[in-house]
Amino acid sequence: MIKNKSLVSINDISKEDMLRILELAADFEANPDQPLLRGKIIASLFFEPSTRTRLSFETAMNRLGARVIGFSDPGVTSATKGETLKDTIKMVSNYADLIVMRHYLEGAARYAAEQSPVPVINAGDGANQHPTQTLLDMYSINKTQGGLDNLKIALVGDLKYGRTVHSLIQAMSYFNPTFYFVAPDELKMPQEYKTFLDEKGITYEEHRDMADVLPTADILYMTRVQKERFSDLMEYERVKNTYVLHNDMLSVTKDNLRILHPLPRVGEISTDVDQNPKAYFFEQAKNGMYTRMAIIAAILGAKE
Ligand code: CP
């Protein structure tokens, strides 16, 4: 299991560990009041903005009975005086049993884990990885589809900078999926992830038009175009509204289709979709709390 280990990339954990975390998450969903971590202190360090990840992590920590220290704004820390990430992590690891960190730089979580004597959970590092989002996405897929095997998964939008899709395709590759990548040329799935799928023998198709994949998909995973990752804002303006899902587009979809989105959305899912029973993104965000309870409990050895 992942006891006492950092979770930096979804590739850090085995298929068996993933399935165990999903089992634990179901256990926490059925019984959320399990204060197994009384006496533990967990640090929540958010160098980049967040709503769901930070609040669901901190809710998970509180539900588990741990105490929480940290910051949601690095502007109130000594990073503003020039303190390095290495020194910050060394300090915080003096105080806490576990560190949850979001950072704007790719690789920051791996670096922090290398410096820290206590485990580090990556809550998103730049455009790189967001492994706890992946586990909650898997939990949501499993719950809505009754399993993880042989699914047709369409990923739409910003496949270049969207760290959640990068982690998700790697994790789901254990379960013989077929992927449909729908993106404008500027935001296509990076070659390294396509090479990964080629090496695993996983089928994928690339499309420009979302309508091509709607009748086929079991999961429609919409993503936000990540404005904060663009160096050229003109390019962002050009592509930001390429895909907008409206309720009337869903009439051609399968009954079991569920629409996921890591959120926040900024226009790629019209609000007229929200009442459709196929919309699952708010439940997905709630699942994040149970999944993060499971991850924290597993790493701190509260659930063997
Ligand atoms: N899904 C996600 O990471 O949302 P936040 O940026 O609000 O944490």
Side-chain angles (χ1 to χ4, degrees), residues 49-54 102 130 133 262-264:
S50 167
T51 296
R52 274 146 296 278
T53 308
R54 185 174 71 82
R102 170 170 287 188
H130 195 351
Q133 177 73 44
L263 301 177

Side-chain angles (χ1 to χ4, degrees), residues 42 44 46 50-64 68 100 102 123 130 132-133 136 262 282-296:
I42 304 179
S44 168
F46 277 72
S50 167
T51 296
R52 274 146 296 278
T53 308
R54 185 174 71 82
L55 293 177
S56 63
F57 256 121
E58 293 184 6
T59 306
M61 295 165 192
N62 279 293
R63 282 195 176 278
L64 287 165
V68 184
V100 173
R102 170 170 287 188
H130 195 351
T132 66
Q133 177 73 44
L136 81 88
F282 293 121
E283 291 94 331
Q284 177 189 3
K286 185 174 182 186
N287 291 338
M289 180 176 61
Y290 306 123
T291 310
R292 289 175 172 129
M293 287 178 84
I295 295 164
I296 293 168

